[in-house]
């Protein structure tokens, strides 16, 4: 037995014995000092306790008390000091006893008695023997190898003390010569022996007394009666015999009878205690087996649940297991609807045919007394007949009279309930309820995981479908970029042929019938090639023809997107202890922009997600809007007003290599978490909205993404009415800008045939220089035709420069990239009209007529 398993009462007896030794010794010494006979002998005329004996008892009380500190003190120093003092006092007691014994054996005066008090008398030999025995036992206390000697010495000393004490109890001469101990000396030896045994209760006789086994319980109950009752009966028998009530034979008969009755009662008590212990053991074994069976059932249910991923099959296997093994007569599971405060029965046990119609039925929480389950409390109704609420009455009508309602709690909220019922009233024990409670916790966790698995599976399927769609779109995008380039080259190539063919058909009246028919066939073939290329580029754009751009309040779009993405930048990071602070800096009174709201919202969502991913340890995410202003020093202080949106994060940022490649398809810095298509999509949307995308980032300083939109009302391009054949506008001054001389020549000739003054410029920069030169010479151009795709300075930059210098000058964009003429959504900023290549002479004539403000000649 370990020290931690020992009860406290042996220590209390040990401490009491130590205190009693010291107290009585001090009292006797005081009696000798004050010459008090009662303190010296208790009863006048009985043997006295001499001074050496009292001094030894005082030393023994101190040494015995110090053993408490040796066992229980937490201070190492205190334990060591107490141990050595106790050992020294024990050896001193043994030395005094041995000296007195030696003097008694040799018949000499050892003068040990006179050392303390000359007139008190000599210590009895039996007292010296006990001091030697108990002093040695005290010295050996705590030494496990010497335990047998320690216990034997303590018991032998108590036997000598009893032999001396029996003289005072029964009278007569001492049983052992020279065993003339004082009465309180005998009793103190008893106390000393018991105190020593209680100082070491982990082994020997005391280990049985302090144990919580059946033997220990019986020993504690019967040991004292077994020792005291025979002594008491013997004393009573002797007193009756001395009083003359009966003779020696009758007294002996009474003693034998009383002893038999006493020990018979003790045996009976022992048997009764063993019987109760056996019943308790059997009951414990039965409960243990029941608990093992419950645990095995719980294991089986857990294993069965682990093999399933949908809630319905989980609920069904739980109900079937309960029916077969608990068992129950009825079971059902209802799911909780927080909005309606009702329960909907999801599964019913298959064996209960009477109540099978309860499936999909609704159960009110309050009206059926189930409100306590909202807080996670198990409800046990031992007698359903006394309830008047609707659902319990249905159970009673089905022959069920007791039931348990087990709440299924998930994240401190009610997910559903498990209802188990039996036909017998008070049919569920406390162990049944405890098992159902644990089963409910397991079910709630499994159902929640199944629900999460279903949601994750659905999300995964959606993600796979989205991934396939995105991959398809990216393939289309790559194909479209390639197709647009091919279309541009083909359109540029066939443009001269188309213009010359149309011009010949219109101007050459002397053509023969066969020649005119051949030219018309060539014209139709060129138109078919152009339309095919246009459809090819339209295929990659995936534009819905019925979707029309509309004015958009950029500030309102930002607020809506913040609310839409709240879970991503606020709730989800906080689950990991991360805080992302959202800051908005929205300019007041910014003009609306024109575009597709769903596409712009998708752009902003994508940028917010990228910013949150970049702040793995939290940070600040800022959304800022404002008015952008640009000016051109060459043409004066004219300002082009626009609207910008900035997404600024304080994340890890990008190095130069990542910033340079971030617009490449499938390039990502997120590893497996990223697709590398987010910024590609953003760039595509900005291009469709004629906007600009700028990214500023540095490692450790975060990233700023700036989206700039045109806020001015650009002139909406509408198809010009086709001029009647043969009608020509009044001559105007026209600037033609293109990097392809083969295309400039036919365009110039066609326009000059209509009487216009045409100036050509080979390239974008040459066109800008020619336009500004004409302005400086006060010979402005009425109309500017410019190609879109040119090296270094493209058509958009030409249009911007023209508008900055002369905002009223119409700019007509010629492109072979597949723009549809008159499509407002595809009209770039600062451009008044877009004409697709190959350009028709009628389209040129209509455009000139529309923007020159002249009537046809």
């Amino acid at each position: 037995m370990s020290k931690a398993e020992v009860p406290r009462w042996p220590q209390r007896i040990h401490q009491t014995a130590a205190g009693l030794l010291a107290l009585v010794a001090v009292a006797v010494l005081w009696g000798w000092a004050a010459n008090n006979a009662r303190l010296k002998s208790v009863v006048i005329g009985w043997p006295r306790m001499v001074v050496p004996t009292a001094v030894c008892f005082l030393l023994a009380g101190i040494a015995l008390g110090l053993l408490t500190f040796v066992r229980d003190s937490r201070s190492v120093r205190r334990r060591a000091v107490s141990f050595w003092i106790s050992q020294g006092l024990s050896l001193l007691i043994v030395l005094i006893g041995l000296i007195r014994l030696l003097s008694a054996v040799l018949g000499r005066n050892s003068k040990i008695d006179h050392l303390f008090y000359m007139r008190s008398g000599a210590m009895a030999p039996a007292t010296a023997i006990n001091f030697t025995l108990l002093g040695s036992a005290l010295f050996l206390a705590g030494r496990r190898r010497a335990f047998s000697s320690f216990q034997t010495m303590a018991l032998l000393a108590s036997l000598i003390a009893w032999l001396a004490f029996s003289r005072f109890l029964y009278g007569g001469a001492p049983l052992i010569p020279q065993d003339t101990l004082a009465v309180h000396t005998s009793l103190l030896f008893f106390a000393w022996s018991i105190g020593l045994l209680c100082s070491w209760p982990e082994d020997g006789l005391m280990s049985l007394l302090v144990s919580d086994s059946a033997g220990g319980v019986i020993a504690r109950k019967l040991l004292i009666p077994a020792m005291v009752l025979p002594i008491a009966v013997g004393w009573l028998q002797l007193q009756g015999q001395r009083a003359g009530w009966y003779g020696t034979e009758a007294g002996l008969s009474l003693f034998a009878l009383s002893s038999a009755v006493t020990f018979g009662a003790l045996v009976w008590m022992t048997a009764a205690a063993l019987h109760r212990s056996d019943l308790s053991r059997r009951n414990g074994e039965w409960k243990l087996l029941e608990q093992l069976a419950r645990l095995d059932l719980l294991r089986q249910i857990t294993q069965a649940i682990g093999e399933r991923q949908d809630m319905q099959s989980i609920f069904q296997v739980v109900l079937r297991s309960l029916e077969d093994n608990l068992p129950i007569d009825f079971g059902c599971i209802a799911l909780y609807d927080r909005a309606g405060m009702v329960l909907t029965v999801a599964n019913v046990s298959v064996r209960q045919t009477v109540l099978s119609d309860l499936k999909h039925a609704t159960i009110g929480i309050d009206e059926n007394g189930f409100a306590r389950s909202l807080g996670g409390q198990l409800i046990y109704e031992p007698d359903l007949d006394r309830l008047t609420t609707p659902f319990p009455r249905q159970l009673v009508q089905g022959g069920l009279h007791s039931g348990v309602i087990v709440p299924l709690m998930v994240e401190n909220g009610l997910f559903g309930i498990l209802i188990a019922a039996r036909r017998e009233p008070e049919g569920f024990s406390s162990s049944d309820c405890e098992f159902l409670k644990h089963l409910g916790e397991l079910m709630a966790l499994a159902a929640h995981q199944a629900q999460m698995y279903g949601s994750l599976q659905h999300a995964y399927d959606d993600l796979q479908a989205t991934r396939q769609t995105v991959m398809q779109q990216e393939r289309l995008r790559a194909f479209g970029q390639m197709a647009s380039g091919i279309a541009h080259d083909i359109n540029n190539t066939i443009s001269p042929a188309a213009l010359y063919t149309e011009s010949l058909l219109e101007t050459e009246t002397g053509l023969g019938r066969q020649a005119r028919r051949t030219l018309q066939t060539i014209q139709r073939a060129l138109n078919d090639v152009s339309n095919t290329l246009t459809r090819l580029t339209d295929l990659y754009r995936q534009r819905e023809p019925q979707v029309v751009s509309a004015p958009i309040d950029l500030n309102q779009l930002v607020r809506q997107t913040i609310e839409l993405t709240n879970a991503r930048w606020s709730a989800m990071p906080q689950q990991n202890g991360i805080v992302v602070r959202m800051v908005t800096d929205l300019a007041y009174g910014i003009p609306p922009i024109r575009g597709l709201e769903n596409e712009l919202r998708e752009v902003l969502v994508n940028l917010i997600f990228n910013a949150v991913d970049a702040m793995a340890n939290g940070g600040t995410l800022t959304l800022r809007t404002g008015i952008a202003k640009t000016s051109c020093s060459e043409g004066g202080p004219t300002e082009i007003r626009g609207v910008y949106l900035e997404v600024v994060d304080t994340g890890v940022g990008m190095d130069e290599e990542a910033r340079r490649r971030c617009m490449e398809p499938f390039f990502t810095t997120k590893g497996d978490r990223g697709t590398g298509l987010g910024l590609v999509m953003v760039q595509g949307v900005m291009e469709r909205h004629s906007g600009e995308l700028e990214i500023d980032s540095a490692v450790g300083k975060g990233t700023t993404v700036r989206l700039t939109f045109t806020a001015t009302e650009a002139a909406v391009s509408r198809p010009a009415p086709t001029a009647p054949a043969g009608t020509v506008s009044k001559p105007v001054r026209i600037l033609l800008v293109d990097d392809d001389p083969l295309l400039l020549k036919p365009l110039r000739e066609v326009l000059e045939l209509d009487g216009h003054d045409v100036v050509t410029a080979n390239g974008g920069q040459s066109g800008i220089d020619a336009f500004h030169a004409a302005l400086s010479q006060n010979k402005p151009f009425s109309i500017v035709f410019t190609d879109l795709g040119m090296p270094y300075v493209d058509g958009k930059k030409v249009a911007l420069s023209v508008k900055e210098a002369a905002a009223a000058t119409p700019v007509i964009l010629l492109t072979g990239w597949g723009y549809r003429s008159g499509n407002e959504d595809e009209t770039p900023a600062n451009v008044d009209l877009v004409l697709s290549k190959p350009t028709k002479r009628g389209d040129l004539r209509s455009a000139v007529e529309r923007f020159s403000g002249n009537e046809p000649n």
Side-chain angles (χ1 to χ4, degrees):
M1 179 181 294
S2 65
K3 185 188 295 186
E5 297 174 341
V6 176
R8 300 292 297 176
W9 63 264
Q11 183 180 0
R12 297 191 187 100
I13 294 177
H14 165 235
Q15 293 171 348
T16 303
L20 183 63
L21 289 175
L23 182 62
V24 173
V26 170
V28 171
L29 292 175
W30 177 259
W32 280 103
N35 196 22
N36 189 322
R38 290 192 175 276
L39 292 177
K40 291 186 279 186
S41 60
V42 180
V43 178
I44 297 175
W46 285 10
R48 299 171 300 178
M49 181 187 297
V50 297
V51 172
T53 302
V55 170
C56 288
F57 278 127
L58 180 59
L59 298 177
I62 295 173
L64 192 61
L66 289 174
L67 288 181
T68 304
F69 295 101
V70 175
R71 284 178 55 90
D72 302 329
S73 178
R74 296 182 179 179
S75 172
V76 177
R77 181 180 180 183
R78 180 179 294 181
R79 286 202 304 267
V81 171
S82 300
F83 174 77
W84 289 114
I85 293 176
S86 175
Q87 294 288 286
L89 296 176
S90 302
L91 290 176
L92 181 59
I93 295 170
V94 172
L95 181 61
I96 294 174
L98 289 175
I99 292 175
R100 179 65 186 93
L101 283 176
L102 184 60
S103 63
V105 171
L106 298 176
R108 297 179 181 178
N109 187 2
S110 63
K111 298 184 180 181
I112 189 69
D113 299 309
H114 303 290
L115 182 63
F116 298 100
Y117 189 65
M118 182 179 298
R119 295 180 298 167
S120 65
M123 181 188 298
T127 303
I129 293 174
N130 267 7
F131 276 132
T132 303
L133 292 173
L134 292 176
S136 301
L138 187 59
F139 179 80
L140 296 175
R143 291 180 171 85
R144 188 169 297 277
R145 294 182 179 178
F147 175 77
S148 298
S149 301
F150 158 82
Q151 185 173 258
T152 301
M153 291 177 182
L155 292 175
L156 183 58
S158 64
L159 177 61
I160 295 173
W162 162 249
L163 293 176
F165 179 73
S166 64
R167 171 192 175 193
F168 302 102
L169 190 63
Y170 298 111
L175 295 176
I176 299 177
Q178 304 298 326
D179 191 10
T180 55
L181 278 66
V183 62
H184 40 352
T185 301
S186 303
L187 294 175
L188 286 181
F189 279 133
F190 272 124
W192 192 354
S193 300
I194 295 173
L196 275 176
L197 293 175
C198 290
S199 70
W200 198 345
E202 293 89 352
D203 295 299
L205 297 176
M206 289 302 299
S207 64
L208 177 62
L209 282 176
V210 301
S211 70
D212 56 357
S213 63
V217 174
I218 293 174
R220 287 193 296 274
K221 289 183 177 181
L222 301 183
L223 183 60
I224 294 179
M227 295 175 63
V228 172
L229 286 177
I231 295 173
V233 170
W235 183 81
L236 291 174
Q237 181 264 338
L238 180 61
Q239 297 302 317
Q241 187 173 346
R242 287 177 177 174
W245 296 346
Y246 42 78
T248 303
E249 294 79 1
L252 183 60
S253 175
L254 289 174
F255 178 77
L257 178 61
S258 59
S259 297
V261 171
T262 300
F263 283 102
L266 292 177
V267 170
W268 185 268
M269 292 173 60
T270 303
L274 289 174
H275 178 68
R276 288 192 299 271
S277 175
D278 186 62
L279 290 179
S280 177
R281 178 185 59 79
R282 292 183 181 181
N283 189 38
E285 289 178 353
W286 181 83
K287 289 183 178 180
L288 180 60
L289 291 175
E290 184 182 31
Q291 290 298 324
L292 290 175
R294 295 283 190 270
L295 288 175
D296 185 64
L297 176 58
L298 197 62
R299 180 193 61 79
Q300 294 176 12
I301 295 175
T302 303
Q303 184 177 0
I305 287 176
E307 298 171 355
R308 291 161 173 80
Q309 296 294 346
D310 61 296
M311 286 196 297
Q312 293 298 324
S313 62
I314 289 175
F315 292 160
Q316 199 61 46
V317 75
V318 168
L319 293 176
R320 187 178 297 113
S321 298
L322 290 177
E323 283 183 323
D324 295 340
N325 300 289
L326 192 58
I328 59 174
D329 298 315
F330 170 77
C332 74
I333 297 171
L335 302 180
Y336 179 54
D337 180 11
R338 295 186 180 181
M341 292 286 291
V342 295
L343 294 160
T344 303
V345 178
N347 284 78
V348 180
S349 55
V350 295
R351 294 182 183 176
Q352 181 55 259
T353 58
V354 178
L355 298 174
S356 59
D357 57 343
L358 282 177
K359 191 171 184 179
H360 305 305
T362 58
I363 305 172
I365 288 286
D366 294 329
E367 65 183 25
N368 288 285
F370 294 165
R372 288 177 290 171
S373 62
L374 292 174
Q377 181 179 351
L378 183 141
I379 303 173
Y380 173 44
E381 295 292 347
D383 188 5
L384 295 175
D385 295 278
R386 64 183 181 84
L387 301 180
T388 59
T389 50
F391 185 75
R393 296 311 304 167
Q394 284 185 280
L395 296 181
V396 172
Q397 292 174 3
L400 305 168
H401 300 284
S402 62
V404 178
I405 294 91
V406 183
L408 309 180
M409 306 295 293
V410 174
E411 297 179 353
N412 297 324
L414 184 66
F415 177 78
I417 61 170
L418 166 65
I419 301 175
R422 285 176 175 165
R423 299 184 182 278
E424 303 83 8
E426 300 183 359
F428 292 89
S429 64
S430 60
S431 61
D432 292 334
C433 294
E434 189 69 20
F435 170 77
L436 290 173
K437 181 180 179 181
H438 292 310
L439 178 61
E441 295 173 355
L442 174 65
M443 281 183 58
L445 180 61
H448 183 57
Q449 289 180 343
Q451 191 178 43
M452 291 180 62
Y453 176 82
S455 300
L456 289 175
Q457 184 64 43
H458 183 70
Y460 176 76
D461 294 340
D462 290 345
L463 182 62
Q464 287 292 97
T466 304
R467 180 174 176 271
Q468 293 297 328
T469 302
V470 170
M471 291 178 63
Q472 181 66 20
Q473 289 177 348
E474 288 305 312
R475 293 191 188 100
L476 287 174
R477 176 183 175 84
F479 170 74
Q481 290 175 346
M482 181 177 65
S484 294
I486 295 173
H488 174 267
D489 293 340
I490 294 175
N491 284 328
N492 281 347
T493 302
I494 67 177
S495 287
L499 283 172
Y500 281 131
T501 301
E502 188 177 3
S503 179
L504 287 173
L505 288 172
E506 184 177 339
T507 59
E508 297 296 330
T509 57
L511 289 174
R513 183 177 181 182
Q514 182 62 32
R516 184 172 294 277
R517 185 181 300 168
T518 301
L519 289 175
Q520 289 175 346
T521 301
I522 293 172
Q523 186 181 40
R524 283 196 299 271
L526 293 174
N527 289 337
D528 289 344
V529 170
S530 177
N531 292 333
T532 300
L533 293 174
T534 301
R535 289 195 300 271
L536 190 64
T537 55
D538 285 346
L539 175 65
Y540 115 83
R541 285 196 182 93
Q542 297 290 324
R543 301 290 297 273
E544 295 289 341
Q546 71 273 18
V547 176
V548 179
S549 62
I552 300 172
D553 184 352
L554 197 57
N555 288 346
Q556 182 66 18
L557 179 68
V558 169
R559 297 187 188 98
Q560 292 175 355
T561 309
I562 290 175
E563 182 178 358
L564 180 66
T565 59
N566 180 74
R568 183 65 175 83
W569 61 262
S570 178
M572 292 175 63
Q574 287 180 7
Q575 293 178 356
N576 299 320
I578 299 171
V579 177
V580 175
R581 181 170 173 259
M582 177 67 73
V583 177
T584 57
D585 183 11
L586 307 180
Y588 176 77
I590 61 174
I593 63 174
R594 193 170 185 84
L596 300 178
E597 185 175 355
N598 61 331
E599 288 191 358
L600 295 180
R601 184 181 295 108
E602 185 178 357
V603 165
L604 188 52
V605 167
N606 208 310
L607 294 178
I608 290 176
F609 284 3
N610 284 349
V612 172
D613 290 340
M615 297 185 290
N617 298 320
T620 301
L621 175 58
T622 304
L623 300 183
R624 182 183 296 115
T625 61
I627 299 176
K629 298 181 180 181
T630 60
S631 62
C632 180
S633 59
E634 297 181 7
T638 304
E639 293 183 347
I640 302 299
R641 297 171 61 83
V643 178
Y644 70 85
L645 167 62
E646 287 184 349
V647 180
V648 184
D649 68 70
T650 59
V652 295
M654 294 184 288
D655 56 21
E656 185 60 27
E657 174 69 11
R659 194 194 66 79
R660 184 177 59 83
R661 298 187 58 196
C662 65
M663 305 304 298
E664 296 179 8
F666 307 107
F667 174 79
T668 178
T669 59
K670 302 178 184 178
D672 295 336
R673 296 183 298 112
T675 62
L677 301 177
L679 287 177
V680 176
M681 181 273 295
V682 172
Q683 185 183 33
V685 173
M686 293 304 296
E687 289 177 354
R688 289 197 292 273
H689 286 76
S690 302
E692 295 181 2
L693 171 63
E694 300 175 9
I695 299 177
D696 184 18
S697 182
V699 177
K701 296 183 178 180
T703 301
T704 298
V705 179
R706 184 184 179 99
L707 310 176
T708 305
F709 305 88
T710 301
T712 56
E713 278 288 317
V716 180
S717 301
R718 292 183 177 86
T722 305
T727 62
V728 181
S729 301
K730 292 181 180 180
V732 294
R733 185 172 169 81
I734 298 174
L735 175 63
L736 283 179
V737 183
D738 202 314
D739 64 324
D740 189 352
L742 293 177
L743 188 58
L744 279 175
K745 184 174 182 295
L747 282 173
R748 178 175 182 173
E749 291 177 355
V750 167
L751 291 172
E752 286 180 344
L753 284 175
D754 290 339
H756 301 298
D757 181 11
V758 181
V759 176
T760 60
N762 189 5
Q765 187 60 49
S766 298
I768 294 174
D769 295 340
F771 186 82
H772 285 290
L775 284 178
S776 63
Q777 297 171 7
N778 201 19
K779 295 180 180 180
F781 292 103
S782 301
I783 301 174
V784 175
F785 286 87
T786 178
D787 188 22
L788 173 60
M790 296 181 291
Y792 305 112
V793 179
D794 61 7
K796 293 181 181 180
K797 292 181 180 179
V798 172
L800 175 62
S801 180
V802 169
K803 290 294 185 179
E804 288 178 347
T809 302
V811 177
I812 300 173
L813 193 67
L814 304 177
T815 176
W817 294 101
Y819 281 94
R820 286 189 178 273
S821 177
N823 192 338
E824 177 188 347
D825 291 339
E826 296 185 352
T827 302
N830 306 308
V831 173
D832 297 280
L833 182 64
V834 177
L835 294 180
S836 295
K837 297 178 181 179
T839 310
K840 298 179 177 61
R841 188 178 185 188
D843 292 339
L844 291 173
R845 191 173 289 166
S846 298
V848 171
E849 177 187 346
R850 172 182 173 184
F851 292 107
S852 65
N854 297 328
E855 296 295 331
N857 285 332

